[in-house]
Amino acid sequence: MEQLKHECGVAMIRLLKPLDYYEKKFGTWAYGFNKLYLMMEKQHNRGQEGAGIASVSLNNEPGMEYMFREKAEGKDAITEIFSRVTQDMAGELLMGHLRYSTTGKSGLTFVHPFLRRNNWRAKNLCLCGNFNMTNIDEVFQFLTSQGQSPRIFGDSYITLELMGHRLDREVERLFEEAKAKGLEGLDITRYIDDHVEMANVLRKTMEHFDGGYVMGGLTGSGEMFAVRDSWGIRPAFYYRDDEIIALASERPVLQTTFNLQCENIHELKPGEALIVRRNGESHLEQIMPAQKLSACSFERIYFSRGSDRDIYQERKRLGEQLTPAILKAIDGDVENTVFSYIPNTAEVAYYGMTDGFRQQGYNVRTEKVVWKDIKLRTFISANTERNDLAAHVYDISYGSLRPYEDNLVIIDDSIVRGTTLRESIFKILDRLHPKKIVMVSSSPQIRYPDYYGIDMARLEEFCAFRATMALSLTPTPSPKSEGNGNLSGRELIQEVYRACKDRPLEANHVRRIYEPFTVEEINQKIVEMLRPKDMQAPIELVFQSIDGLHEACPNHPGDWYFTGHYPTPGGTRLVNQAFVSWYEDNCHTHPPTSKQLLGRSNWKPYFAS
């Protein structure tokens, strides 16, 4: 419902036969590009701000281009870049990327792939990735201390320059090795092209980074590689046979593109790289030691395509596990309750939820209560008029429940900011006059930012955080919890601020602000914040539990959005910095009004000195 920017999508292909083999077998010189196009379209959900492709031809003579790249911006970028593809660009190595910005930087300059040029084929590097690095400042300082002067400060460019620097050193190592063997002229070049060890380059590069990533690249001499972060935060899947090697961010993409079964496809392991040499030989190599598995659970709940076999079942279980809490919220009155969902990513969890009730012997009533209309362009400048338009993005099925008699249970995959609920959903649902609205989230309360490639970076974006701050700053005495002593809410916030500022790597100190309150208390405050003025129907929130999340998604334990347990030091440091920024931006000499505390306007909380 509340559109989050997905992380990026990666697609890579290595054709293992001569190009004319595919033209004879499949009737087109564009076989590789056709497959790349399909892989990218099947991952369009992962990036709609821009797209880019690259190709490398192994056999072009000197004086002819052998490394090609096309990039475009906008939701139609895939169609645009493939419309520019010509037969001259045909190559054995192909790479594609779909971008959603997570750094706030936009424009064609920041669309992948990134290309580093050189007259030596082996020193040319084309790079793309699904990643966000949490320590880019430190890596920048390392580069500049080596005498380099990167033109742009950004994790993509810094990564390109660092890896390019290590590739240069690898080529120079081989140059000296070839000279020692008595080789001269073109024989030295051929020796370098045939003996590049990308594992050396990757080890010397990736050891500097903290973050979640899948990094893919091509070199001008014909090396292809993809490497996954040591915690397995971001996903990558690959397939190999005697004609092709392919890699993508999601498994169903490979299944559909190449007509494969799940068992044919393998997942790249944490810290592992898939490396394909110039001659087409491929192998897996452990580049960095594997750390505690922290595969992102939000991949399963929201971001990845629900058509994956395992994700489909996991999302159903997420919905099914919520039935006891929902039953309690409606006081057991299933007969007078209508069940529905907010389109479209929550649909599978909805099936699981209703199946859960049926398995308990209930005859549930289901309706498509909410419809999403075309995206209205809120270009009118006045805020009140813009909010009025935003309220009409969704519409309802009139007559879908009995006014004042039926409860309405609506499931969504996540409740993040709450803006759409307040400005649109709750208002239109109230027109149906339900006896009670139970808003269900198949994920737990989202309390903490993400720093590994998803558009959630500021604490104040989350309605759970804002509700907790409102609870902490109410004039009534704050609840106490073990470990916080007798601190008031304001005192606790000040203490957390000092800890975040002075000891940012020690622990995630922000977790302490939630300790005095139960999930139910925070839920009640969220309802108070998001409830539109003059709304009649009562509202109750039901969130997935942390235990329920792990039970449904056992192989994806990365839960930092919900628990604050960041897998890398960089994540912990950044969440503490986020709290420091929030505190320093919102300190004020006057106490907030009740309207500000409830999140209906910008507010600067008061802290007693």
Side-chain angles (χ1 to χ4, degrees), residues 130-321:
N130 170 18
F131 64 91
N132 201 44
M133 303 305 185
T134 65
N135 66 331
I136 201 64
D137 290 349
E138 290 88 341
V139 180
F140 181 82
Q141 291 170 7
F142 171 78
L143 278 176
T144 55
S145 71
Q146 303 294 306
Q148 294 195 51
S149 183
R151 295 179 297 109
I152 297 175
F153 185 88
D155 53 5
S156 300
Y157 271 94
I158 299 301
T159 305
L160 178 71
E161 291 304 325
L162 179 56
M163 191 174 294
H165 171 69
R166 297 315 315 177
L167 182 59
D168 289 348
R169 299 289 80 79
E170 172 68 10
V171 171
E172 289 158 12
R173 179 187 70 82
L174 291 170
F175 178 85
E176 295 300 328
E177 196 172 279
K179 293 281 287 184
K181 291 178 179 292
L183 300 179
E184 296 180 355
L186 290 178
D187 289 336
I188 294 179
T189 301
R190 296 187 188 100
Y191 182 86
I192 293 172
D193 290 349
D194 291 339
H195 291 84
V196 171
E197 291 289 347
M198 283 307 303
N200 294 341
V201 177
L202 294 175
R203 285 193 182 93
K204 290 293 186 179
T205 302
M206 307 320 297
E207 67 182 4
H208 292 280
F209 287 109
D210 179 303
Y213 57 82
V214 169
M215 195 80 64
L218 313 174
T219 72
S221 58
E223 304 290 317
M224 184 178 96
F225 63 88
V227 59
R228 190 180 185 190
D229 68 82
S230 297
W231 292 266
I233 295 171
R234 300 271 73 91
F237 298 86
Y238 65 92
Y239 167 72
R240 295 187 286 190
D241 62 21
D242 61 348
E243 290 185 342
I244 197 167
I245 298 172
L247 179 136
S249 294
E250 299 190 24
R251 182 168 61 181
V253 173
L254 296 173
Q255 288 185 254
T256 300
T257 302
F258 299 102
N259 191 24
L260 303 171
Q261 299 300 313
C262 286
E263 293 71 24
N264 302 130
I265 299 166
H266 304 281
E267 188 170 6
L268 207 59
K269 296 176 183 177
E272 189 175 60
L274 171 64
I275 298 175
V276 188
R277 303 196 63 124
R278 173 181 171 83
N279 62 7
E281 294 178 359
S282 64
H283 68 282
L284 298 168
E285 190 152 346
Q286 196 69 33
I287 298 301
M288 298 292 291
Q291 305 295 330
K292 182 180 178 181
L293 179 65
S294 299
C296 176
S297 57
F298 226 165
E299 282 277 349
R300 319 301 280 183
I301 298 168
Y302 181 86
F303 289 113
S304 295
R305 293 170 64 89
S307 57
D308 182 273
R309 178 192 64 185
D310 296 337
I311 293 175
Y312 183 80
Q313 295 302 325
E314 289 169 13
R315 289 182 180 176
K316 285 193 71 175
R317 285 197 295 272
L318 286 167
E320 181 182 338
Q321 289 171 178

Side-chain angles (χ1 to χ4, degrees), residues 31 41 58 61 77 85 117 156 174 222 233 285 349 377 381 446 470 473 581:
Y31 169 79
E41 281 290 0
L58 295 176
E61 296 295 327
V85 170
R117 290 289 199 178
S156 300
L174 291 170
I233 295 171
E285 190 152 346
R377 295 187 179 275
S381 58
I446 297 174
L473 295 169
S581 297

Side-chain angles (χ1 to χ4, degrees), residues 13-38:
I13 293 175
R14 174 61 156 92
L15 301 176
L16 299 175
K17 304 286 187 181
L19 293 179
D20 59 0
Y21 169 90
Y22 303 93
E23 186 168 5
K24 290 176 183 177
K25 182 172 181 178
F26 300 104
T28 174
W29 64 267
Y31 169 79
F33 280 115
N34 290 342
K35 292 299 186 183
L36 187 67
Y37 171 80
L38 185 55

Side-chain angles (χ1 to χ4, degrees), residues 362-387:
Y362 292 104
N363 182 23
V364 295
R365 295 166 54 201
T366 60
E367 300 286 352
K368 189 173 177 62
V369 174
V370 181
W371 298 79
K372 188 171 184 179
D373 289 335
I374 59 172
K375 187 172 184 180
L376 299 174
R377 295 187 179 275
T378 55
F379 53 83
I380 299 176
S381 58
N383 287 335
T384 54
E385 294 170 314
R386 183 161 54 243
N387 289 339

